[in-house]
């Protein structure tokens, strides 16, 4: 990392820059890939002409056991409490797994728990579960569950409101 400017004694840089010199380029012309600003904002930049392979920020938990997760964690708290996450949980062979969206709705100093605070899951098969408590198999495209009461789907509109169920040929 290099500072983006010269700074005085007892002062810090405005940001730190992480850059590389790709093959065939001069060491005098590094290409910036990551910048951390003095306020903590992070900017990740890259150039790609690849439209089929995922590229960008890569988060990898090298401990590849079933049940382990790799997470992007969020907080809006000065106490650095983890209160929300988007987590990828290993559920099978070769790193296959489910995407879990978690929210800790407890107004406390406790930490986010990716199992207890799960609010939505997208399975490796493409099924979506909302309110899933891990008590049943997610075998449908959309699975809505409430373990402690009713489960409703609400449709509101100023004119027409409906939930349509059609056959594959478009007929009702």
């Amino acid at each position: 990392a290099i500072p983006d400017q010269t700074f005085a004694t007892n002062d810090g840089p405005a940001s730190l820059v992480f850059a590389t010199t790709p093959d065939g380029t001069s060491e005098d012309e590094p290409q910036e890939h990551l910048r951390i600003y003095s306020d903590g904002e992070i900017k990740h930049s890259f150039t790609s002409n690849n439209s089929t392979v995922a590229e960008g920020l890569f988060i990898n938990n090298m401990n590849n056991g079933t049940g382990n997760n790799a997470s992007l964690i969020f907080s809006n708290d000065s106490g650095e409490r983890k209160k929300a996450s988007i987590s990828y949980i290993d559920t099978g062979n070769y790193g296959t797994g489910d995407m879990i969206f978690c929210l800790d709705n407890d107004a406390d100093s406790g930490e986010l728990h990716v199992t207890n605070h799960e609010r939505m899951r997208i399975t490796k098969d493409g099924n979506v579960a909302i309110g899933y408590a891990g008590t049943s198999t997610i075998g449908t495209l959309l699975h809505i569950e409430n373990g402690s009461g009713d489960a409703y789907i609400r449709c509101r509109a100023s004119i027409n409101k409906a939930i349509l169920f059609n056959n594959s040929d478009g007929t009702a």
Side-chain angles (χ1 to χ4, degrees):
I2 55 171
D4 69 344
Q5 65 188 33
T6 305
F7 48 95
T9 305
N10 297 325
D11 193 12
S15 61
L16 291 175
V17 177
F18 295 81
T20 61
T21 52
D23 291 341
T25 62
S26 166
E27 288 186 22
D28 297 330
E29 300 173 21
Q31 294 181 6
E32 180 177 323
H33 295 289
L34 182 72
R35 179 179 291 257
I36 303 175
Y37 293 92
S38 61
D39 64 0
E41 181 182 341
I42 299 172
K43 175 185 169 190
H44 173 243
S45 304
F46 67 97
T47 302
S48 173
N49 60 359
N50 186 337
S51 63
T52 58
V53 176
E55 295 180 331
L57 182 62
F58 180 59
I59 300 172
N60 185 19
N61 181 347
M62 301 287 288
N63 186 4
N64 58 348
T66 299
N68 289 338
N69 75 83
S71 299
L72 185 59
I73 303 165
F74 302 92
S75 178
N76 250 353
D77 178 68
S78 61
E80 297 185 18
R81 289 176 274 272
K82 301 169 183 173
K83 290 300 197 180
S85 73
I86 300 172
S87 302
Y88 184 77
I89 296 187
D90 188 328
T91 61
N93 297 325
Y94 296 98
T96 61
D98 297 347
M99 187 67 67
I100 311 292
F101 297 82
C102 302
L103 297 168
D104 179 356
N105 62 342
D106 301 325
D108 62 13
S109 61
E111 291 283 320
L112 179 76
H113 190 281
V114 294
T115 303
N116 298 343
H117 295 118
E118 179 179 329
R119 301 295 180 246
M120 186 172 81
R121 175 182 295 243
I122 303 172
T123 69
K124 63 184 175 190
D125 300 318
N127 297 334
V128 176
I130 300 170
Y132 177 69
T135 57
S136 61
T137 302
I138 303 169
T140 58
L141 289 175
L142 179 61
H143 178 103
I144 300 173
E145 181 176 315
N146 183 351
S148 62
D150 298 327
Y152 294 100
I153 297 175
R154 176 175 287 176
C155 182
R156 283 190 173 172
S158 60
I159 301 174
N160 296 315
K161 52 186 168 242
I163 296 176
L164 303 174
F165 297 92
N166 290 337
N167 296 319
S168 61
D169 64 0
T171 61

